[in-house]
Amino acid sequence: MSTQNWLTLMEYSAKYRVSLSTLRRRIKAGEIENKFSDGKYLLKDGPLQVVAVTKAEVETIAPPPQMSSLPKVEVSPVTKAVEPAAPAVEPQQYWLATQTLLHEIKKAYSLILQEKEEQMLQLKEEVADLKTLVRVLEEENARVKHLQPKLDFDLGLEL
């Protein structure tokens, strides 16, 4: 199998700055294209694109059992005069619209989570850089303190 256009999860995570947990979650949900080879998941080399749920997939979800049990809303005579009557809509259409909106909300939530994970990765890198800088400065400070008595002696400043 050719892997020239496919990356391991670790490679993909490092290249596109997406957490491994996000990648695994999206693979499990079937939201991203992947291959499983030699015990490893491979992802197509390219920016993360969430696979959209098709209308057919939404229709496979069963609608609620008793749509006729929904409460009926009374319309006042004033409303009837102002608004034209809406055409009758089948319960299946409500269910489809609800599922479509739910999917869009989930997709938006996933994108927000991905952005937050990317921000967390950047902040973790900054923290690591700052820790390295602190360590270097502390080592330099210790080195200077170690040299201080010798400098005082050479300058004749010893008390």
Side-chain angles (χ1 to χ4, degrees), residues 16-143:
Y16 293 102
R17 301 178 67 130
V18 179
S19 76
L20 290 172
S21 60
T22 296
L23 295 174
R24 288 187 180 107
R25 185 174 55 251
R26 291 194 176 172
I27 288 171
K28 185 177 179 182
E31 294 177 346
I32 55 177
E33 186 176 356
N34 66 80
K35 288 183 185 179
F36 190 76
S37 175
D38 298 326
K40 294 182 179 181
Y41 283 103
L42 301 173
L43 302 177
K44 204 155 216 162
D45 189 5
L48 190 62
Q49 295 178 349
V50 178
V51 177
V53 174
T54 64
K55 184 177 178 182
E57 290 172 328
V58 172
E59 289 175 348
T60 60
I61 301 171
Q66 302 228 348
M67 294 296 286
S68 60
S69 66
L70 294 174
K72 298 196 178 199
V73 178
E74 295 281 330
V75 179
S76 68
V78 174
T79 308
K80 285 182 182 176
V82 175
E83 296 179 13
V89 181
E90 293 184 25
Q92 185 68 22
Q93 290 175 322
Y94 284 123
W95 181 249
L96 179 62
T98 303
Q99 291 302 313
T100 303
L101 289 173
L102 180 61
H103 175 70
E104 288 179 21
I105 290 170
K106 285 180 180 179
K107 190 168 137 182
Y109 182 72
S110 294
L111 290 174
I112 289 170
L113 280 178
Q114 179 183 355
E115 289 172 1
K116 294 300 176 191
E117 286 179 353
E118 289 171 359
Q119 288 175 350
M120 286 174 47
L121 282 174
Q122 288 175 341
L123 291 172
K124 285 179 182 179
E125 287 177 6
E126 288 180 26
V127 167
D129 290 345
L130 289 171
K131 284 181 179 179
T132 302
L133 182 60
V134 166
R135 184 178 45 81
V136 167
L137 290 173
E138 285 175 345
E139 288 173 0
E140 181 65 18
N141 189 27
R143 188 184 68 81

